[in-house]
Amino acid sequence: PGWAPSAWGHVFARLARLLPTWGDMQPHLVELPLVRAHRHLAHARYPQAVGAFRAAVGLDPTVLGAHLGLAESLAALGRRNEAVDGLVLAAEGFGARDEHEDAMSLLGKALAIDPSRMELDVDLAMMEEAMGRHEAAVTRVEGLADRYMDVGRTEEAAELLRFLMSWEDTDEEPVVA
């Protein structure tokens, strides 16, 4: 009671009409390694998670979650510098594409992994400034200058405050007499 040959022709004709949109119906290529990576991460299989997240990043470097998961997996393996450096590099890519919110998420994660990398606050402030959040950027740099002062890095604190003055100088309108 199967299909008659003429019925197959109908099926093939229907498939031929669907083929131009077939790619739209397929899951995104990065999803499989991303799902595997999250499963490995959830079960504390960090080396496998690193490999799967790297595969996901290789397939689509614009997937924010792949970069964050890779960094989390590397940090869990004690490879904090590698995790932070990867996040900073990824943030540069996102920033270059004007995806500032995602870049800020990456830099925030980098700072959370290694709070001693206080200079990342300058990168975050630059992103905030690029997004038109001037007051937030100023507050962030002032806070970083205070933290530098607290740990005895007075010259770096002074440099940050001079940097802030340059921002303030460009924001002021010239006075016409």
Side-chain angles (χ1 to χ4, degrees), residues 115-136:
S116 70
R117 299 271 303 261
M118 291 187 283
E119 73 278 3
L120 294 175
D121 269 315
V122 174
D123 295 334
L124 283 162
M126 296 300 284
M127 287 290 167
E128 288 172 327
E129 184 69 19
M131 296 169 69
R133 300 178 185 168
H134 180 72
E135 288 304 315

Side-chain angles (χ1 to χ4, degrees), residues 16-154:
R17 284 193 309 270
L18 291 175
L19 282 177
T21 62
W22 187 255
D24 296 336
M25 294 187 295
Q26 293 296 315
H28 196 267
L29 192 58
V30 75
E31 289 179 15
L32 182 60
L34 203 52
V35 167
R36 286 183 178 159
H38 283 292
R39 191 174 303 138
H40 289 310
L41 184 60
H43 290 96
R45 295 188 301 260
Y46 303 119
Q48 294 88 342
V50 166
F53 279 121
R54 280 202 172 125
V57 168
L59 289 170
D60 188 351
T62 66
V63 177
L64 179 67
H67 292 284
L68 294 171
L70 176 57
E72 191 172 330
S73 301
L74 288 168
L77 290 170
R79 295 160 55 183
R80 293 163 40 111
N81 287 337
E82 186 179 350
V84 170
D85 292 343
L87 288 168
V88 170
L89 184 62
E92 290 171 4
F94 279 84
R97 292 189 304 274
D98 291 329
E99 298 174 22
H100 300 298
E101 290 287 345
D102 290 342
M104 287 189 65
S105 295
L106 293 162
L107 292 171
K109 179 71 169 183
L111 197 54
I113 290 172
D114 190 355
S116 70
R117 299 271 303 261
M118 291 187 283
E119 73 278 3
L120 294 175
D121 269 315
V122 174
D123 295 334
L124 283 162
M126 296 300 284
M127 287 290 167
E128 288 172 327
E129 184 69 19
M131 296 169 69
R133 300 178 185 168
H134 180 72
E135 288 304 315
V138 167
T139 300
R140 184 179 298 276
V141 174
E142 286 173 343
L144 179 57
D146 288 343
R147 290 196 312 271
Y148 276 168
M149 291 293 281
D150 291 344
V151 296
R153 294 168 67 176
T154 55

